[in-house]
Amino acid sequence: MKNVIEVKHLTKSYKTNKAVDDLSLTVKEGEILGLLGPNGSGKTTTMNCILSLLKFDNGEINIFGKEMKPDAYDIKSKIGVVFQDVAVFDELTVYGNIDYFCGLYIEDKNTRAQYVEDALKLVGLEDNKSQYPKQLSGGLLRRLNIACGIAHKPKLIFLDEPTVAVDPQSRNNILEGIKKLRDDGATIIYTTHYMEEVEILCDRVIILDHGKIIASGTNDELKALAKIEEKVTIEVPELAPKQLSGFEKIKNVSEVVYDNGVLKIVYRKGKNNLIDMMEYLKANKIQYNKIFSERPTLNDVFLELTGKELRD
Amino acid sequence: MIVSKAFWKIVLKNIGSIILPTVILLMFGTISVTSVDSTAQYEARKPALVIFNHDENVGLTKNFIEYLEENATIKTGYEDDDRLKDALFYEEVTAVIEIPENFHQDMALGHDPEVKMRSSAGYVAELAKVAVRRYLSVAKGYSALHLSEQELVAKVDKAIANGVKTEMKAAVDTSKYAKASRYYSFANYTILSCFITIICLIMSAFNREQVRKRNLVGAIDIKKMNRILLRNCCIYVLAAWVFYVVISVFVLGVEVVFTAQGALYAVNSLVFAACATTIAYLISIFALSAGAVNGLQNVLALGTSFLCGAFVPAEYLPDSVLAFAHVLPSYYYIDANDKIMKIQQFDAATMVPILLEIAVVAGFCVLFVALANIISKKRQRIA
Ligand SMILES: Nc1ncnc2c1ncn2[C@@H]1O[C@H](COP(=O)(O)OP(=O)(O)OP(=O)(O)O)[C@@H](O)[C@H]1O
Ligand SMILES: [Mg+2]
């Protein structure tokens, strides 16, 4: 598969603060690449550099096999961008806004009218066409923001945290829409600090911290980096200290925490972990209410790699 | 093109904010026209004179006083000088005329006795001065013929009687332009208010950080886009200006608008409109919010209108205010309107000061554009 974007040794500093530090990445045609990182890790800066919105200190950026420059209009015409902050005209209606931003790329009126309708449908704003941005709820405004960025059916789409401060229903709607864009053939770069979104959406993930790539790969590849297999949470109303220390001796258990009637057990690699656990509970006549088991998340991977949580 | 389309959509969205200043302009223009056109107003505008006669009331002196009585209302009871000064200031009295001792004899002998005159400001005073000067110059003209005083009086009387009508007609003409002056001076408020509102709102909408970024990633040259925006601003400004001039035909009448003075008013206002546009352009660099634009627009349009005499004639304003007003383009625009009103004949002496003031306003345009360019270079953060 072709590389749509190639970034080599990108470095960008704000005074002494290195926002992006010798970053190299490639994006393949037709994939959704997730850029995951905590606040201030350099996601937006990376994106702005790739888009030639920012001058960078060092590095090389090629898109569709050509060097990206501020006046590379042939490249720009195939790109759609959804910025982190809502960027629309307050004075134009929902329809007027999409029509305007689409019109920066598509001159033909009829084609544009069709594209605007498609975009409205994609984000589910058909009923809000003639409303002004001020009349929209936060979630709908985010959807409008997305529609404005993708209405011209670009081949390459950048989305910078498009779901921040959006209710769960709008979020699902947005994520579905993005999948549809990929299925229609677009290549997508999706920036976020929500690991759940990355897990649902992205074919490949790059984890950033302090402007550096600390890990990359598919979800499963990344999770393999976490040295844990699963996490088990058990509600145990009462537990003697002796019983507690007994848990640590069970096979594969790496960590046990008991707090406020909740027992948390972390396992290293291994099979049949839950069965051993149940047997121990039975043998020691420990009363318990609920048990649930989780696979490791990207947060665990991040924790493993940096020693801190993705979200504070 | 999509940018122009968005431009005019935003103009339409904000049309409400430009209707009010325009309606006020129309009301202001119409009211002043009807009030000055009525005969009652015309009577009231007859000069009010106070005469101190140090001569005997005989011969040419008597004739002169009769002439003044015919053309003006003579007021008495102003022997106290302070009272007189107040009366002049409030235009209760238009002018004070002092006829010197031996006036009638000196005149007949062909000497040039000095008639002292003090007057209030405004065109009625100008009118009174013209009337007095006219009588004196006619009298002086005939005195050169060394006629007897009796013959002199008869000749002057006849000549003046023939001329009086034209004198009065000139008075009506001036008042006609007074309305035009007020209309155009008031337009200072309307032009500034409307242009700043529209241009700033549109330019700020396009230059707001986020929208600007989206424009920058678009497949359009941002410089070309700015050119399109500027071109549309100019179209808007020209259209609005043409509208105000066309409206002035209805408000002021054909006989005022289609004259040399009318053309001068139009040119003066066009240059000022250009200046208002550059002010708006300068402000729009800061990409202010709609609320801030509205506030600033009010301060500038109302402020300059008060300071420079668009609402209240400049001669009523304190000197300190007028001194400050000299740094504002509105001052030169409004002052030029006043000067156009007072034109009696078209010669270099009257035209040069008017053209100079128009040139000063044009100079302000250049200044504002230069400032705007310097500031926008400094503010360019996104490369
Ligand atoms: N205009 C700027 N001037 C100075 N420093 C900046 C500027 N923009 C970003 N930075 C710094 O660069 C670093 C990376 O910021 P960036 O916005 O790229 O992070 P991010 O990953 O997008 O964060 P978030 O999740 O909050 O959007 C941060 O340390 C930030 O403080
Ligand atoms: Mg960001």
Side-chain angles (χ1 to χ4, degrees), chain A residues 197-214:
Chain A
E197 292 188 346
V198 169
E199 291 187 30
I200 300 168
L201 198 66
C202 299
D203 303 311
R204 218 153 50 81
V205 184
I206 288 177
I207 302 182
L208 282 183
D209 192 34
H210 294 301
K212 282 196 177 104
I213 296 180
I214 55 170

Side-chain angles (χ1 to χ4, degrees), chain A residues 77 95-109 111-117 119 147-154, chain B residues 2 214 218-219:
Chain A
S77 68
Y95 189 96
N97 265 297
I98 304 175
D99 186 48
Y100 170 79
F101 289 110
C102 187
L104 292 180
Y105 304 85
I106 309 288
E107 296 224 356
D108 180 66
K109 262 191 191 161
T111 317
R112 196 164 72 227
Q114 186 56 51
Y115 279 19
V116 175
E117 290 298 336
C148 289
I150 53 91
H152 57 288
K153 300 194 194 285
Chain B
I2 197 74
R214 196 163 244 167

Side-chain angles (χ1 to χ4, degrees), chain B residues 250-370:
Chain B
F250 297 101
V251 174
L252 305 171
V254 178
E255 70 279 7
V256 174
V257 177
F258 294 106
T259 57
Q261 276 94 335
L264 273 177
Y265 282 123
V267 169
N268 189 31
S269 63
L270 179 62
V271 174
F272 183 69
C275 187
T277 310
T278 57
I279 293 174
Y281 176 64
L282 175 62
I283 296 170
S284 65
I285 288 171
F286 298 95
L288 300 174
S289 68
V293 166
N294 196 38
L296 196 62
Q297 165 273 104
N298 261 319
V299 169
L300 286 179
L302 287 175
T304 58
S305 293
F306 275 118
L307 291 179
C308 302
F311 299 153
V312 181
E315 51 257 28
Y316 294 144
L317 295 171
D319 287 346
S320 55
V321 168
L322 277 180
F324 172 70
H326 277 69
V327 302
L328 302 168
S330 296
Y331 173 82
Y332 299 94
Y333 166 64
I334 292 170
D335 201 51
N337 281 336
D338 276 355
K339 290 203 166 98
I340 295 170
M341 174 186 77
K342 286 177 187 158
I343 291 177
Q344 296 287 351
Q345 65 201 79
F346 289 89
D347 54 26
T350 47
M351 292 303 290
V352 168
I354 293 171
L355 294 178
L356 266 180
E357 289 194 318
I358 295 179
V360 170
V361 175
F364 272 107
C365 290
V366 177
L367 178 73
F368 291 139
V369 169

Side-chain angles (χ1 to χ4, degrees), chain A residues 99-145:
Chain A
D99 186 48
Y100 170 79
F101 289 110
C102 187
L104 292 180
Y105 304 85
I106 309 288
E107 296 224 356
D108 180 66
K109 262 191 191 161
N110 296 328
T111 317
R112 196 164 72 227
Q114 186 56 51
Y115 279 19
V116 175
E117 290 298 336
D118 290 349
L120 281 167
K121 206 149 72 187
L122 183 84
V123 297
L125 280 176
E126 296 107 313
D127 299 336
N128 309 80
K129 264 198 230 199
S130 48
Q131 283 183 311
Y132 287 92
K134 288 249 158 70
Q135 300 167 291
L136 297 179
S137 69
L140 295 186
L141 201 56
R142 287 266 157 198
R143 294 198 214 174
L144 170 62
N145 193 40

